[in-house]
Amino acid sequence: MFSKNHYKILGFALLTLVYTSCKIPALIQKTENKSTPSAYANGSTDTSNVANIKWKDYFKDQYLINLIDTALHNNQELNITLQEIEIARNEVRARKGEILPSVGLKAGAGLEKVGRYTSQGAGDATTEIKPGKEMPEPLPDYLVGLYANWEVDIWHKLRNAKKSAYTKYLSSVEGKNFVVTSLVAEVANSYYELLALDNQLDMVRKNIELQTNALAVVKIQKEATRVTELAVRKFEAEVLSSKSLEYDILQKITETENKINFLLGRYPQHITRDKSSFETGLANNLSTGIPSQLLANRPDIKQAELDLIAAKLDVKVAKAQFYPSFGISAALGFQAFNPSYLVKMPESMLYSIAGDVAAPLINRNAIKATYFTANAKQIQAVYQYERSILNGYIEVANQLASIGNLSKSYELKAKQVQALTQSIEISNDLFKSTRADYLEVLMTQRDALEAKLELIETKKQQLNAMVKVYQALGGGWN
């Protein structure tokens, strides 16, 4: 029986546990700011959003659609991300298992010989199992039983850990969606780059043909002593320069094809494509919606939000470490020195049940460090979340401005190309009638080629901007 002193000591110990548990360090926390501007620079408040369009409907080129579809099945980075989701899912299962009691089955056999002149040896020597039958020596031991342990989750430490793991699992899913969005955009941009190089190659080859014809004319005029050998050499040098440029473009085509093949998870091979789709491109009537839709559409913002929720739960888990933990252990089984006695009831039965309370009392620095670290990660997650929102808005704003400026630039460059194309014919006619020298012809051809290549480059940038604004708005993962 317990005396009054025993109860006083037990009560004092419980009070000490409660006091030490309640004395938790204060934290400086930060609340996230989810506010966004009411509209983009265009001032539109229409909520229709191109991000809701599936990528198979957004892109019209069937060859590009096939490439993206292959990339989504074979890309190594995406497959690595899928395994990260599986790892996160298993972490949820592990945390869920910690909430439930752990039950194990134990079976064993042993042999023990104790000294005769010990308390156990002397007791066994004077003990009879049955009248006239002493305890065997050495003493066998056979055991079969169930054992269980359970931590009572009073402070929701284990539940919050499970919620945190599940939130991180959802975050990994959004991380996969972000990889998908980036992969779709990268394949599309590389495809349009390839189409631009094809068009530039055609343009250079046409220019080589034009320069070769001009060289033939100059040679005829040189024979007629209307021009010197210097003019012939200048035209030859220009043809050679264009042919060198042709091989530079061919090398870029090879590298771009191999880049696409790498994204598709396959070894180098020819990329089937439709050159005509470079001109048709993508529709310019973009519906950008309103900035607040970025919070629901962009996977990286949703991932940052889920990481923040998980970080808040981790703070609660770390805080619960200061509180007393309550545990229950139990056992039920059969034990005897002879296997035939294991089935005898209730003599061979064993059972036990116990409860314990434990709380940190002295040297809680490790728990404090974990607590402060969890809070620092929570504040870090707040900044990351706010940063992802700001980054998303700026990306959309930049691409919208790019689309507008590139459209104006393309119109001007198209007029420049038209003027220079006409000037080539004029300069050739003037050169034939000796009213212009060969340098004017060469400079006109060179300027026209550069302008045509720049026009194609501007068109590619327009297509890339359309892809990027689709990605920035959160499209491509659905």
Side-chain angles (χ1 to χ4, degrees), residues 55-56 62-75 78 183-184 187 263-264:
W55 63 265
K56 285 188 176 182
Q62 189 59 46
Y63 292 109
L64 173 57
I65 292 173
N66 293 339
L67 291 173
I68 295 174
D69 192 56
T70 303
L72 294 178
H73 285 88
N74 299 338
N75 182 262
L78 180 57
L183 180 60
V184 169
V187 172
L263 293 173
L264 270 58

Side-chain angles (χ1 to χ4, degrees), residues 258-409:
N258 289 341
K259 178 183 178 182
I260 295 175
N261 283 315
F262 177 77
L263 293 173
L264 270 58
R266 67 189 189 188
Y267 287 99
Q269 57 183 269
H270 175 70
I271 300 295
T272 306
R273 51 196 182 267
D274 181 11
K275 295 182 182 180
S276 63
S277 66
F278 184 73
E279 294 300 328
T280 56
L282 298 168
N284 287 324
N285 52 341
L286 278 178
S287 301
T288 59
I290 55 178
S292 61
Q293 291 176 322
L294 293 174
L295 278 64
N297 291 340
R298 281 186 60 123
D300 57 330
I301 295 179
K302 291 193 286 185
Q303 184 180 21
E305 182 181 15
L306 290 167
D307 288 340
L308 175 58
I309 295 172
K312 291 180 178 179
L313 290 169
D314 288 340
V315 173
K316 293 181 179 179
V317 173
K319 183 178 181 180
Q321 297 289 344
F322 290 98
Y323 299 142
S325 61
F326 298 87
I328 298 175
S329 59
L332 174 65
F334 302 93
Q335 186 174 20
F337 60 80
N338 191 319
S340 63
Y341 293 161
L342 289 175
V343 295
K344 289 191 175 183
M345 297 281 288
E347 291 84 356
S348 63
M349 179 183 289
L350 68 87
Y351 59 86
S352 67
I353 185 168
D356 62 79
V357 181
L361 182 61
I362 300 174
N363 193 11
R364 303 190 299 169
N365 290 333
I367 299 176
K368 289 181 181 178
T370 303
Y371 185 46
F372 288 136
T373 298
N375 185 67
K377 289 182 178 180
Q378 176 193 3
I379 296 175
Q380 190 179 51
V382 171
Y383 286 120
Q384 180 62 34
Y385 179 51
E386 294 177 345
R387 178 177 176 272
S388 64
I389 296 174
L390 178 61
N391 178 65
Y393 179 86
I394 290 178
E395 283 184 359
V396 174
N398 286 344
Q399 295 309 319
L400 289 177
S402 176
I403 290 173
N405 292 326
L406 285 171
S407 177
K408 296 174 183 177
S409 176

Side-chain angles (χ1 to χ4, degrees), residues 21 113 125 168 187 253 300 348 432 460:
S21 301
K113 169 65 175 71
K168 291 174 182 176
V187 172
I253 288 175
D300 57 330
S348 63
K432 292 176 182 178
K460 184 201 77 173

Side-chain angles (χ1 to χ4, degrees), residues 17-28:
L17 288 174
V18 173
Y19 173 74
T20 54
S21 301
C22 293
K23 193 176 180 181
I24 299 173
L27 295 177
I28 299 176

Side-chain angles (χ1 to χ4, degrees), residues 7-249:
Y7 285 116
K8 289 180 179 178
I9 294 172
L10 181 60
F12 178 75
L14 290 174
L15 288 174
T16 303
L17 288 174
V18 173
Y19 173 74
T20 54
S21 301
C22 293
K23 193 176 180 181
I24 299 173
L27 295 177
I28 299 176
Q29 296 180 327
K30 177 177 173 60
T31 303
E32 67 274 12
N33 179 15
K34 297 183 178 181
S35 63
T36 58
S38 58
Y40 296 108
N42 56 15
S44 174
T45 57
D46 184 8
T47 57
S48 58
N49 198 314
V50 71
N52 298 323
I53 301 176
K54 294 182 179 181
W55 63 265
K56 285 188 176 182
D57 298 325
Y58 185 74
F59 299 106
K60 306 301 181 183
D61 189 329
Q62 189 59 46
Y63 292 109
L64 173 57
I65 292 173
N66 293 339
L67 291 173
I68 295 174
D69 192 56
T70 303
L72 294 178
H73 285 88
N74 299 338
N75 182 262
Q76 283 89 352
E77 183 181 357
L78 180 57
N79 288 326
I80 291 171
T81 305
L82 292 175
Q83 294 308 308
E84 291 177 356
I85 294 176
E86 187 63 26
I87 293 171
R89 183 185 290 115
N90 291 328
E91 184 68 20
V92 175
R93 292 171 182 163
R95 296 301 180 188
K96 184 178 180 180
E98 292 177 356
I99 299 176
L100 303 174
S102 61
V103 181
L105 176 64
K106 183 177 181 181
L111 188 66
E112 183 180 27
K113 169 65 175 71
V114 298
R116 173 67 177 80
Y117 300 111
T118 62
S119 59
Q120 183 178 346
D124 290 346
T126 58
T127 302
E128 293 183 345
I129 304 171
K130 294 179 180 180
K133 188 174 182 180
E134 297 181 352
M135 292 284 289
E137 185 182 5
L139 183 65
D141 185 26
Y142 300 95
L143 171 67
V144 177
L146 295 172
Y147 291 84
N149 291 285
W150 182 37
E151 181 179 351
V152 184
D153 193 23
I154 295 178
W155 315 113
H156 287 198
K157 177 180 68 175
L158 302 179
R159 288 183 179 85
N160 286 330
K162 187 194 78 169
K163 290 179 181 178
S164 175
Y166 181 70
T167 306
K168 291 174 182 176
Y169 160 72
L170 296 178
S171 172
S172 67
V173 173
E174 294 300 337
K176 184 268 296 183
N177 292 338
F178 182 68
V179 172
V180 170
T181 299
S182 301
L183 180 60
V184 169
E186 191 170 3
V187 172
N189 283 332
S190 299
Y191 181 78
Y192 290 131
E193 181 179 356
L194 190 57
L195 295 184
L197 290 170
D198 287 339
N199 281 268
Q200 288 180 340
L201 182 63
D202 291 342
M203 192 64 63
V204 169
R205 285 174 173 172
K206 290 178 182 178
N207 193 69
I208 291 174
E209 183 180 354
L210 178 67
Q211 290 174 335
T212 302
N213 294 334
L215 175 61
V217 172
V218 171
K219 287 181 178 180
I220 294 173
Q221 290 189 341
K222 191 254 182 183
E223 293 176 357
T225 66
R226 294 179 62 183
V227 296
T228 64
E229 181 68 17
L230 177 61
V232 174
R233 295 304 178 192
K234 282 286 187 179
F235 272 87
E236 285 181 345
E238 200 68 22
V239 172
L240 293 173
S241 176
S242 296
K243 288 184 176 180
S244 174
L245 179 59
E246 177 186 7
Y247 287 106
D248 289 341
I249 295 175

